[in-house]
PDB file of all heavy atoms in Angstrom:
ATOM      1  N   MET A   1     -17.818  19.529  -7.403  1.00  0.00           N
ATOM      2  CA  MET A   1     -17.537  18.075  -7.112  1.00  0.00           C
ATOM      3  C   MET A   1     -16.694  18.092  -5.806  1.00  0.00           C
ATOM      4  O   MET A   1     -15.705  18.690  -5.679  1.00  0.00           O
ATOM      5  CB  MET A   1     -16.870  17.267  -8.104  1.00  0.00           C
ATOM      6  CG  MET A   1     -16.433  15.892  -7.890  1.00  0.00           C
ATOM      7  SD  MET A   1     -15.817  14.916  -9.189  1.00  0.00           S
ATOM      8  CE  MET A   1     -14.479  15.894  -9.774  1.00  0.00           C
ATOM      9  N   ALA A   6     -12.361   7.830   3.071  1.00  0.00           N
ATOM     10  CA  ALA A   6     -12.738   6.446   3.445  1.00  0.00           C
ATOM     11  C   ALA A   6     -11.611   5.719   4.181  1.00  0.00           C
ATOM     12  O   ALA A   6     -10.417   5.972   3.739  1.00  0.00           O
ATOM     13  CB  ALA A   6     -13.208   5.643   2.238  1.00  0.00           C
ATOM     14  N   PRO A  12      -2.975  -8.038   5.596  1.00  0.00           N
ATOM     15  CA  PRO A  12      -1.719  -8.737   4.901  1.00  0.00           C
ATOM     16  C   PRO A  12      -2.025 -10.200   4.822  1.00  0.00           C
ATOM     17  O   PRO A  12      -2.729 -10.895   5.507  1.00  0.00           O
ATOM     18  CB  PRO A  12      -0.600  -8.275   5.805  1.00  0.00           C
ATOM     19  CG  PRO A  12      -1.127  -7.996   7.199  1.00  0.00           C
ATOM     20  CD  PRO A  12      -2.656  -7.551   6.813  1.00  0.00           C
ATOM     21  N   GLU A  16       4.206 -12.289   8.577  1.00  0.00           N
ATOM     22  CA  GLU A  16       5.620 -12.059   8.124  1.00  0.00           C
ATOM     23  C   GLU A  16       5.645 -10.893   7.172  1.00  0.00           C
ATOM     24  O   GLU A  16       6.775 -10.464   6.755  1.00  0.00           O
ATOM     25  CB  GLU A  16       6.171 -13.292   7.543  1.00  0.00           C
ATOM     26  CG  GLU A  16       6.456 -14.344   8.593  1.00  0.00           C
ATOM     27  CD  GLU A  16       5.301 -15.102   9.089  1.00  0.00           C
ATOM     28  OE1 GLU A  16       4.392 -15.282   8.211  1.00  0.00           O
ATOM     29  OE2 GLU A  16       5.199 -15.454  10.251  1.00  0.00           O
ATOM     30  N   LEU A  19       5.153  -4.525   6.909  1.00  0.00           N
ATOM     31  CA  LEU A  19       4.062  -3.539   6.847  1.00  0.00           C
ATOM     32  C   LEU A  19       4.493  -2.276   6.243  1.00  0.00           C
ATOM     33  O   LEU A  19       3.869  -1.502   5.596  1.00  0.00           O
ATOM     34  CB  LEU A  19       3.392  -3.301   8.238  1.00  0.00           C
ATOM     35  CG  LEU A  19       2.706  -4.515   8.791  1.00  0.00           C
ATOM     36  CD1 LEU A  19       2.109  -4.059  10.175  1.00  0.00           C
ATOM     37  CD2 LEU A  19       1.636  -4.963   7.727  1.00  0.00           C
ATOM     38  N   ASP A  20       5.860  -1.710   6.572  1.00  0.00           N
ATOM     39  CA  ASP A  20       6.344  -0.502   5.959  1.00  0.00           C
ATOM     40  C   ASP A  20       6.297  -0.635   4.520  1.00  0.00           C
ATOM     41  O   ASP A  20       5.992   0.257   3.823  1.00  0.00           O
ATOM     42  CB  ASP A  20       7.694  -0.267   6.613  1.00  0.00           C
ATOM     43  CG  ASP A  20       7.593   0.112   8.107  1.00  0.00           C
ATOM     44  OD1 ASP A  20       6.503   0.786   8.460  1.00  0.00           O
ATOM     45  OD2 ASP A  20       8.621  -0.167   8.850  1.00  0.00           O
ATOM     46  N   LEU A  26       1.099   0.128  -1.297  1.00  0.00           N
ATOM     47  CA  LEU A  26      -0.155   0.790  -1.462  1.00  0.00           C
ATOM     48  C   LEU A  26      -0.288   2.089  -1.892  1.00  0.00           C
ATOM     49  O   LEU A  26      -1.128   2.534  -2.798  1.00  0.00           O
ATOM     50  CB  LEU A  26      -0.879   0.656  -0.034  1.00  0.00           C
ATOM     51  CG  LEU A  26      -1.248  -0.739   0.402  1.00  0.00           C
ATOM     52  CD1 LEU A  26      -1.674  -0.587   1.980  1.00  0.00           C
ATOM     53  CD2 LEU A  26      -2.258  -1.534  -0.302  1.00  0.00           C
ATOM     54  N   SER A  29       0.312   2.429  -5.672  1.00  0.00           N
ATOM     55  CA  SER A  29      -0.720   1.675  -6.405  1.00  0.00           C
ATOM     56  C   SER A  29      -1.929   2.640  -6.616  1.00  0.00           C
ATOM     57  O   SER A  29      -2.996   2.252  -7.397  1.00  0.00           O
ATOM     58  CB  SER A  29      -1.195   0.391  -5.810  1.00  0.00           C
ATOM     59  OG  SER A  29      -1.982   0.752  -4.697  1.00  0.00           O
ATOM     60  N   GLY A  33      -5.989  10.785  -8.931  1.00  0.00           N
ATOM     61  CA  GLY A  33      -6.925  11.457  -8.199  1.00  0.00           C
ATOM     62  C   GLY A  33      -7.209  11.160  -6.763  1.00  0.00           C
ATOM     63  O   GLY A  33      -7.807  11.793  -5.963  1.00  0.00           O
ATOM     64  N   ALA A  34      -6.675   9.975  -6.386  1.00  0.00           N
ATOM     65  CA  ALA A  34      -6.718   9.536  -5.014  1.00  0.00           C
ATOM     66  C   ALA A  34      -5.526   9.808  -4.165  1.00  0.00           C
ATOM     67  O   ALA A  34      -4.432   9.889  -4.859  1.00  0.00           O
ATOM     68  CB  ALA A  34      -7.048   8.000  -4.976  1.00  0.00           C
ATOM     69  N   GLY A  38      -2.880   9.298   5.667  1.00  0.00           N
ATOM     70  CA  GLY A  38      -2.368   8.764   6.774  1.00  0.00           C
ATOM     71  C   GLY A  38      -2.812   7.335   7.034  1.00  0.00           C
ATOM     72  O   GLY A  38      -3.716   6.915   6.254  1.00  0.00           O
ATOM     73  N   PHE A  39      -1.991   6.552   7.734  1.00  0.00           N
ATOM     74  CA  PHE A  39      -2.184   5.126   8.088  1.00  0.00           C
ATOM     75  C   PHE A  39      -2.275   4.881   9.573  1.00  0.00           C
ATOM     76  O   PHE A  39      -1.685   5.682  10.385  1.00  0.00           O
ATOM     77  CB  PHE A  39      -0.966   4.381   7.608  1.00  0.00           C
ATOM     78  CG  PHE A  39      -0.860   4.070   6.025  1.00  0.00           C
ATOM     79  CD1 PHE A  39      -0.305   4.981   5.343  1.00  0.00           C
ATOM     80  CD2 PHE A  39      -1.396   2.835   5.631  1.00  0.00           C
ATOM     81  CE1 PHE A  39      -0.152   4.648   3.929  1.00  0.00           C
ATOM     82  CE2 PHE A  39      -1.199   2.546   4.301  1.00  0.00           C
ATOM     83  CZ  PHE A  39      -0.679   3.433   3.438  1.00  0.00           C
ATOM     84  N   VAL A  49      -1.386  -7.949  11.904  1.00  0.00           N
ATOM     85  CA  VAL A  49      -1.695  -6.400  12.070  1.00  0.00           C
ATOM     86  C   VAL A  49      -2.225  -5.899  10.657  1.00  0.00           C
ATOM     87  O   VAL A  49      -1.631  -6.118   9.696  1.00  0.00           O
ATOM     88  CB  VAL A  49      -0.408  -5.623  12.488  1.00  0.00           C
ATOM     89  CG1 VAL A  49      -0.744  -4.143  12.558  1.00  0.00           C
ATOM     90  CG2 VAL A  49       0.259  -6.100  13.647  1.00  0.00           C
ATOM     91  N   LEU A  51      -3.454  -2.845   8.213  1.00  0.00           N
ATOM     92  CA  LEU A  51      -3.219  -1.485   7.811  1.00  0.00           C
ATOM     93  C   LEU A  51      -4.614  -0.759   7.518  1.00  0.00           C
ATOM     94  O   LEU A  51      -5.433  -1.362   6.959  1.00  0.00           O
ATOM     95  CB  LEU A  51      -2.296  -1.259   6.628  1.00  0.00           C
ATOM     96  CG  LEU A  51      -0.871  -1.687   6.862  1.00  0.00           C
ATOM     97  CD1 LEU A  51      -0.102  -1.583   5.300  1.00  0.00           C
ATOM     98  CD2 LEU A  51      -0.235  -0.905   7.746  1.00  0.00           C
ATOM     99  N   PRO A  53      -5.409   2.528   5.878  1.00  0.00           N
ATOM    100  CA  PRO A  53      -5.136   3.844   5.315  1.00  0.00           C
ATOM    101  C   PRO A  53      -6.409   4.688   5.248  1.00  0.00           C
ATOM    102  O   PRO A  53      -7.429   4.136   5.039  1.00  0.00           O
ATOM    103  CB  PRO A  53      -4.629   3.519   4.022  1.00  0.00           C
ATOM    104  CG  PRO A  53      -5.206   2.133   3.710  1.00  0.00           C
ATOM    105  CD  PRO A  53      -5.275   1.521   5.072  1.00  0.00           C
ATOM    106  N   VAL A  55      -8.235   7.152   2.791  1.00  0.00           N
ATOM    107  CA  VAL A  55      -7.991   7.529   1.426  1.00  0.00           C
ATOM    108  C   VAL A  55      -8.913   8.575   1.109  1.00  0.00           C
ATOM    109  O   VAL A  55     -10.182   8.614   1.428  1.00  0.00           O
ATOM    110  CB  VAL A  55      -8.279   6.233   0.532  1.00  0.00           C
ATOM    111  CG1 VAL A  55      -7.986   6.597  -0.967  1.00  0.00           C
ATOM    112  CG2 VAL A  55      -7.175   5.168   0.873  1.00  0.00           C
ATOM    113  N   VAL A  57     -10.735  10.395  -2.080  1.00  0.00           N
ATOM    114  CA  VAL A  57     -10.980  10.228  -3.461  1.00  0.00           C
ATOM    115  C   VAL A  57     -12.126  11.238  -3.810  1.00  0.00           C
ATOM    116  O   VAL A  57     -12.935  11.818  -3.070  1.00  0.00           O
ATOM    117  CB  VAL A  57     -11.453   8.968  -3.778  1.00  0.00           C
ATOM    118  CG1 VAL A  57     -10.502   7.791  -3.521  1.00  0.00           C
ATOM    119  CG2 VAL A  57     -12.745   8.480  -3.028  1.00  0.00           C
ATOM    120  N   PRO A  58     -12.132  11.601  -5.165  1.00  0.00           N
ATOM    121  CA  PRO A  58     -13.171  12.518  -5.686  1.00  0.00           C
ATOM    122  C   PRO A  58     -14.475  11.825  -5.631  1.00  0.00           C
ATOM    123  O   PRO A  58     -14.633  10.693  -5.639  1.00  0.00           O
ATOM    124  CB  PRO A  58     -12.802  12.747  -7.208  1.00  0.00           C
ATOM    125  CG  PRO A  58     -11.439  12.264  -7.362  1.00  0.00           C
ATOM    126  CD  PRO A  58     -11.126  11.337  -6.234  1.00  0.00           C
ATOM    127  N   GLY A  63     -16.999   5.814  -6.456  1.00  0.00           N
ATOM    128  CA  GLY A  63     -16.402   6.138  -5.165  1.00  0.00           C
ATOM    129  C   GLY A  63     -14.923   5.444  -4.839  1.00  0.00           C
ATOM    130  O   GLY A  63     -14.033   5.778  -5.555  1.00  0.00           O
ATOM    131  N   GLU A  69      -9.772  -1.888  -5.851  1.00  0.00           N
ATOM    132  CA  GLU A  69      -9.408  -2.883  -6.851  1.00  0.00           C
ATOM    133  C   GLU A  69      -7.846  -2.604  -6.915  1.00  0.00           C
ATOM    134  O   GLU A  69      -7.095  -3.776  -7.104  1.00  0.00           O
ATOM    135  CB  GLU A  69      -9.993  -2.524  -8.287  1.00  0.00           C
ATOM    136  CG  GLU A  69     -11.342  -2.875  -8.337  1.00  0.00           C
ATOM    137  CD  GLU A  69     -12.136  -2.301  -9.590  1.00  0.00           C
ATOM    138  OE1 GLU A  69     -11.498  -1.757 -10.507  1.00  0.00           O
ATOM    139  OE2 GLU A  69     -13.225  -2.701  -9.814  1.00  0.00           O
ATOM    140  N   VAL A  77      -1.142  -8.514  -0.112  1.00  0.00           N
ATOM    141  CA  VAL A  77      -2.577  -8.122   0.389  1.00  0.00           C
ATOM    142  C   VAL A  77      -3.370  -9.336   0.362  1.00  0.00           C
ATOM    143  O   VAL A  77      -3.516 -10.009  -0.625  1.00  0.00           O
ATOM    144  CB  VAL A  77      -3.048  -6.950  -0.439  1.00  0.00           C
ATOM    145  CG1 VAL A  77      -4.591  -6.686   0.046  1.00  0.00           C
ATOM    146  CG2 VAL A  77      -2.321  -5.652  -0.101  1.00  0.00           C
ATOM    147  N   GLU A  81     -11.255  -4.080   2.747  1.00  0.00           N
ATOM    148  CA  GLU A  81     -12.649  -3.934   3.142  1.00  0.00           C
ATOM    149  C   GLU A  81     -12.697  -2.452   3.516  1.00  0.00           C
ATOM    150  O   GLU A  81     -11.990  -1.828   4.210  1.00  0.00           O
ATOM    151  CB  GLU A  81     -12.851  -4.622   4.477  1.00  0.00           C
ATOM    152  CG  GLU A  81     -14.239  -4.514   5.118  1.00  0.00           C
ATOM    153  CD  GLU A  81     -14.399  -5.389   6.304  1.00  0.00           C
ATOM    154  OE1 GLU A  81     -13.901  -6.570   6.341  1.00  0.00           O
ATOM    155  OE2 GLU A  81     -14.960  -4.891   7.310  1.00  0.00           O
TER     156      GLU A  81
END
Side-chain angles (χ1 to χ4, degrees):
M1 174 170 54
E16 288 77 37
L19 295 179
D20 293 328
L26 291 172
S29 74
F39 279 89
V49 178
L51 288 177
V55 179
V57 295
E69 289 172 1
V77 172
E81 178 183 323

